[in-house]
Amino acid sequence: MHSNLKLGRITGALLLFVFISGVVIFQVLQGPVLFSDQYLTATAAHSDQVISSMVLGILNGIVSITIATILLPFFKKYHRSLAYLYFAFCILNFISIMIDNVSVASLLELSKTYVNGSKNESLVTLGALAYERHFWTHYFYLLISCFPVFVFYYMLYLSRLVPKILSVFGLVAVLLMFIEELASIYGSSISMNMLLPIGLVQLVLPVWLLIKGFSVPRAASELAESVD
């Protein structure tokens, strides 16, 4: 019981960092700058802010891998293949973060060159291309981020480490996010409100874990019987 409480609280603290850092990166540091109408000048003007967002993004990815590493021995008791798949998806998510950071860095360097006196038409064209590349890397990163989160909530559902309503709500929320991000990639965004459930559960779950920790896990033998 004590180990479940401790592991749950550690996981909750790390998940809370991932949630808060994600909000800071996209809503505070990057969003108002990289997706503004004046991105070619605004990016250079807020270079420290943009660089900080990239560093924070790397930390975000590392913490996600840390969570998967901590939970891997525990999740293997309930579904070995899915436990490793969750870990692999966290690695893939980190790679997508780095690719997105490269596109952000490219846009930053173009912006600096443009602002520092080389305001020619070719840089405007290159800036537009860099902006579009960042759009694609950003949305594919968000799409890929759905994979580890979905497996994570499914493993919570199998093991019953948290109340069933939390894991089921998490699964539904991830599916809604996946649908919206996929629709956005195809240029047919449905509604940004579809992202609200994932934001809610990604905040509620860490708070729950910090207070309650993990519940007594479902016995592996019980799980095997139910699957049979």
Side-chain angles (χ1 to χ4, degrees), residues 23 132 178:
V23 172
E132 291 301 321
F178 183 84

Side-chain angles (χ1 to χ4, degrees), residues 35-51:
F35 289 103
S36 69
D37 293 336
Q38 304 299 322
Y39 64 90
L40 199 53
T41 54
T43 306
H46 299 84
S47 59
D48 289 344
Q49 181 175 320
V50 173
I51 293 171

Side-chain angles (χ1 to χ4, degrees), residues 11-12 15 64 67-68 71 75 82 85-87 89-90 146-159 161-162 167 170-171 174 201-202 205-206 209 214:
T11 303
L15 286 172
S64 295
I67 295 171
L71 295 179
F75 280 170
L82 285 179
L85 184 63
Y86 171 52
F87 184 83
F89 277 154
C90 286
C146 294
F147 298 155
V149 179
F150 184 86
V151 178
F152 172 72
Y153 278 106
Y154 185 63
M155 289 302 298
L156 291 182
Y157 174 80
L158 286 179
S159 59
L161 290 170
V162 298
S167 55
L171 289 170
V174 177
V201 74
Q202 290 289 76
L205 178 63
L209 291 176
F214 285 131

Side-chain angles (χ1 to χ4, degrees), residues 182-203:
L182 190 62
S184 296
I185 287 173
Y186 278 95
S188 303
S189 174
I190 301 171
S191 173
M192 293 300 290
N193 290 331
M194 293 178 68
L195 303 181
L196 293 178
I198 191 66
L200 178 60
V201 74
Q202 290 289 76
L203 177 60

Side-chain angles (χ1 to χ4, degrees), residues 1-40:
M1 289 291 291
H2 179 71
S3 61
N4 288 342
L5 179 63
K6 182 178 180 180
L7 179 63
R9 285 178 171 172
I10 292 173
T11 303
L14 294 176
L15 286 172
L16 191 60
F17 172 82
V18 170
F19 173 78
I20 294 175
S21 62
V23 172
V24 171
I25 291 168
F26 299 121
Q27 301 300 323
V28 179
L29 299 178
Q30 284 192 8
V33 177
L34 299 182
F35 289 103
S36 69
D37 293 336
Q38 304 299 322
Y39 64 90
L40 199 53

